[in-house]
């Protein structure tokens, strides 16, 4: 396969959901705020330094979540009780032309070390933090206030062997087992590799389809894939894109597709028939799996019901490209990447499902264009329930030059456009979620005399403000 001259295709996919956000950086720790949403008691955790949080790891011994921030070129910790965010290493060297922190490849003291788009982390029993330093094609370690290179980083490539000669291509995620063996999603090489305690690097699974995230649990590795099969002549059943895999250990001689792989999209129900859109985060809790389904902007759960594996969507409010996920002391935390924040969703065992999975056989989100211009959102996205597309009321009305008013006494939304208006309550079809009002798009648009077209192949809604 021909290599690209600069960033690889997978790395472009991983970065395509990123917000360009300039922040002011301190030298010690971030100013942090946490606020509760009006729906489902979500805690929204953010800090000045947090730009693009990604891979997360629950360090139970130290009561913290460690996470990588690819645009901040840094690694942070989050205290799961106080929500205090602290910088651990990287990202303290000023801003680049795009307003984001400078990245690089420098070992040394934590406050002097540099990373390049780190995407994944894991913590060893000693407290050493292992980092998938994606842009540097390296595996790094943070321990006792110092950053060192564990393996790779000499150049991009695909080479097993000792730590000094091993090569990776855009490693994106890290997992560790009870023996401190390190497992790596070597994404552009379409492989899972491991590093044993003496530093030797070996490939344990190959011919995958751009593996992005990995977690160890129950003597197995669980992996999300996001790319397309590229190995000619390989068995397509072992190369399913947009899927969730299980790799039993220690031999790793079998790969089981638990969910997805039938095509990119959004579908709940039987896990074997489920569809995902660039799943980029995974966590195992008991017998359940939690998935950050990045392209669909939702959190999914795979669990057993009636002897069958089921995939469903958790009712957690709106996300914007979630890429990291962990359960810590029974609480679900999600890296809401493009909103530059962490969401804490409370007791995960009490989370409701958003919809009946048997009825959800269509994509769960849609891109909306009004007169050829894509609709933009600030803190909530459209979603689909039972075949009906719901859109944030204010975002849609303001995009067409209209207005929206919330009438608290009636718990109603008054939608205005030109000389027309329509008042909607929940009984009329609006949906109130996470403090936002969502309106049924086709109903409202056609009431205002607009043409509405659904393009199934691209999951797109096209609105023409004047009918042809």
């Amino acid at each position: 396969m021909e290599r690209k001259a600069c960033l690889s295709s997978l790395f472009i996919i991983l970065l395509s959901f990123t917000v360009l956000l300039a922040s002011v950086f301190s030298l010690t720790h971030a100013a942090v705020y946490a606020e509760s949403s009006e729906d489902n008691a979500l805690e929204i955790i953010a800090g000045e330094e947090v730009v693009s949080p990604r891979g997360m790891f629950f360090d139970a011994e130290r009561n913290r979540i460690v996470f990588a921030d690819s645009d901040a070129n840094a690694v942070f910790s989050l205290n799961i009780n106080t929500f205090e965010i602290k910088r651990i290493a990287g990202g303290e060297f000023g801003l680049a032309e795009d307003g984001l922190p400078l990245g690089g490849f420098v070992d040394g003291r934590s406050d002097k070390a540099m990373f390049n788009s780190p995407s994944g982390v894991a913590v060893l029993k000693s407290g050493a933090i292992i980092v998938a330093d994606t842009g540097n094609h390296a595996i790094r370690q943070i321990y006792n206030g110092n950053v060192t290179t564990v393996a790779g980083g000499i150049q991009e490539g695909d080479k097993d062997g000792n730590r000094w000669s091993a090569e990776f291509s855009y490693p994106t995620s890290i997992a560790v087992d009870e023996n401190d063996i390190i497992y790596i999603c070597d994404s552009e090489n379409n492989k899972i590799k491991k590093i044993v305690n003496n530093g030797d690097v070996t490939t344990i699974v190959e011919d995958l389809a751009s593996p992005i995230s990995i977690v160890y649990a129950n003597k197995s590795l669980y992996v999300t894939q996001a790319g397309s099969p590229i190995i000619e002549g390989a068995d397509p059943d072992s190369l399913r894109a947009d899927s969730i895999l299980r790799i039993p250990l220690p031999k790793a001689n079998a790969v089981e597709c638990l969910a997805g792989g039938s095509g990119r999209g959004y579908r709940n129900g039987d896990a074997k028939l489920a569809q995902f859109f660039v799943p980029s985060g995974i966590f195992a809790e008991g017998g359940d799996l939690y998935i950050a389904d990045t392209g669909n902007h939702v959190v999914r759960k795979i669990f057993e019901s009636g002897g069958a594996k089921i995939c469903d969507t958790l009712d957690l409010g709106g996300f914007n490209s979630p890429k990291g996920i962990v359960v810590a002391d029974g609480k679900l935390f999600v890296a809401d990447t493009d909103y530059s924040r962490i969401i804490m969703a409370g007791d995960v065992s009490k989370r409701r499902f958003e919809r009946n999975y048997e009825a959800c056989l269509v994509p769960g989100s849609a891109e909306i264009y009004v007169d050829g211009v894509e609709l933009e959102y600030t803190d909530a996205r459209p979603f689909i329930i039972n075949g009906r597309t719901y859109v944030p009321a204010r975002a849609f009305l303001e995009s067409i030059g209209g207005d929206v008013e919330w009438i608290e006494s009636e718990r109603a939304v008054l939608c205005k456009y030109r000389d027309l208006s329509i008042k909607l309550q929940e009984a009329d079809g609006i949906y109130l979620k996470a403090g936002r009002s969502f309106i049924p798009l086709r109903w409202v648009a056609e009431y205002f005399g607009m043409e509405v077209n659904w393009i199934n192949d691209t999951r797109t809604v096209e609105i023409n403000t004047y009918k042809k």
Side-chain angles (χ1 to χ4, degrees):
M1 183 183 67
E2 181 180 349
R3 308 295 297 182
K4 293 192 175 181
C6 50
L7 289 180
S8 70
S9 57
L10 172 68
F11 201 49
I12 292 173
I13 290 174
L14 290 175
L15 293 177
S16 63
F17 299 105
T18 315
V19 171
L20 294 179
L21 176 65
S23 299
V24 178
F25 289 78
S26 68
L27 294 178
T28 54
H29 61 84
V32 178
Y33 70 86
E35 60 182 27
S36 298
S37 71
E38 297 178 5
D39 185 42
N40 293 331
L42 302 179
E43 291 285 348
I44 301 169
I45 309 163
E48 289 178 347
E49 297 175 299
V50 176
V51 183
S52 182
R54 293 179 185 257
M56 309 170 76
F57 186 93
F58 176 41
D59 183 8
E61 181 70 20
R62 296 156 191 86
N63 201 43
R64 64 180 181 174
I65 292 171
V66 178
F67 65 93
D69 190 316
S70 60
D71 280 350
N73 289 309
V75 175
F76 296 95
S77 68
L78 168 66
N79 184 294
I80 64 171
N81 293 326
T82 67
F83 298 152
E84 181 184 15
I85 295 175
K86 291 184 177 181
R87 177 195 301 276
I88 298 174
E92 298 184 328
F93 300 93
L95 304 180
E97 292 182 359
D98 59 5
L100 297 174
L102 289 168
F105 190 7
V106 178
D107 283 344
R109 282 174 38 197
S110 296
D111 59 345
K112 301 297 182 183
M114 298 182 75
F115 298 90
N116 185 1
S117 300
S119 298
V121 292
V123 181
L124 303 181
K125 287 182 287 187
S126 65
I129 300 169
I130 308 300
V131 183
D133 193 4
T134 308
N136 283 324
H137 315 291
I139 308 303
R140 314 282 293 281
Q141 176 179 273
I142 308 170
Y143 185 59
N144 281 344
N146 289 285
V147 176
T148 57
T149 298
V150 175
I154 300 171
Q155 61 184 14
E156 179 187 2
D158 183 8
K159 185 184 295 183
D160 290 350
N162 64 59
R163 54 177 295 189
W164 308 113
S165 61
E167 294 176 353
F168 304 91
S169 181
Y170 296 97
T172 54
S173 186
I174 298 282
V176 295
D177 67 13
E178 61 273 2
N179 297 313
D180 278 351
I181 295 175
I182 301 167
Y183 300 91
I184 303 146
C185 281
D186 195 9
S187 294
E188 270 299 280
N189 286 323
N190 299 293
K191 295 180 176 181
I192 303 299
K193 296 184 178 182
K194 74 175 181 180
I195 305 176
V196 296
N197 302 111
N198 66 0
D200 287 348
V201 178
T202 57
T203 296
I204 65 170
V205 178
E206 55 187 351
D207 295 347
L208 297 181
S210 297
I212 288 185
S213 60
I214 187 170
V215 68
Y216 172 81
N218 309 317
K219 303 294 183 181
S220 298
L221 298 172
Y222 298 90
V223 178
T224 69
Q225 295 190 121
S228 299
I230 62 171
I231 309 300
E232 294 184 5
D235 179 2
D237 288 338
S238 66
L239 290 173
R240 300 186 183 192
D242 293 286
S243 60
I244 314 301
L245 307 179
R246 174 181 173 267
I247 303 168
L249 296 175
K251 293 185 178 181
N253 56 2
V255 178
E256 177 188 4
C257 183
L258 295 178
S262 62
R264 177 166 291 176
Y266 181 93
R267 179 184 294 141
N268 283 322
D270 185 339
K272 293 291 186 181
L273 301 177
Q275 290 184 335
F276 303 87
F277 189 177
V278 191
S280 302
I282 187 168
F283 188 82
E285 174 77 353
D288 300 332
L289 293 175
Y290 296 87
I291 313 297
D293 191 2
T294 306
N296 283 319
H297 309 285
V298 294
V299 169
R300 317 281 288 277
K301 182 179 180 180
I302 299 173
F303 59 98
E304 188 168 318
S305 177
K309 288 288 186 183
I310 299 299
C311 179
D312 213 332
T313 302
L314 290 175
D315 184 9
L316 295 175
F319 291 98
N320 193 351
S321 301
K323 290 189 175 76
I325 190 165
V326 295
V327 176
D329 285 353
K331 301 173 184 176
L332 182 66
F333 291 80
V334 182
D336 195 15
T337 303
D338 281 3
Y339 281 152
S340 305
R341 63 188 185 179
I342 307 293
I343 299 293
M344 194 281 287
D347 186 346
V348 69
S349 67
K350 297 180 180 179
R351 302 308 304 182
R352 302 190 306 271
F353 288 112
E354 188 168 82
R355 50 185 72 87
N356 184 322
Y357 67 83
E358 293 178 348
C360 189
L361 298 177
V362 295
S365 62
E367 300 301 328
I368 298 171
Y369 288 80
V370 178
D371 293 333
V373 178
E374 186 175 1
L375 187 62
E376 296 184 356
Y377 319 98
T378 56
D379 59 354
R381 292 186 58 86
F383 56 88
I384 295 174
I385 295 181
N386 296 331
R388 174 176 285 181
T389 300
Y390 289 82
V391 65
R394 187 168 302 279
F396 174 63
L397 268 298
E398 291 183 350
S399 75
I400 60 175
D403 194 14
V404 61
E405 179 183 347
W406 170 251
I407 305 174
E408 177 63 34
S409 61
E410 302 178 48
R411 295 189 60 76
V413 174
L414 181 62
C415 303
K416 305 174 185 178
Y417 178 68
R418 297 184 183 271
D419 56 349
L420 296 174
S421 65
I422 181 173
K423 184 165 63 175
L424 300 172
Q425 298 174 297
E426 287 186 276
D428 302 316
I430 69 166
Y431 195 83
L432 303 178
K433 180 183 179 71
R436 297 292 180 267
S437 302
F438 295 79
I439 56 177
L441 179 59
R442 181 179 293 275
W443 182 10
V444 173
E446 290 184 345
Y447 176 85
F448 288 136
M450 301 174 189
E451 181 183 62
V452 182
N453 296 311
W454 167 256
I455 313 300
N456 191 60
D457 290 344
T458 58
R459 305 187 308 130
T460 300
V461 180
E462 294 181 348
I463 305 290
N464 298 314
T465 55
Y466 295 101
K467 285 188 176 181
K468 297 179 179 178

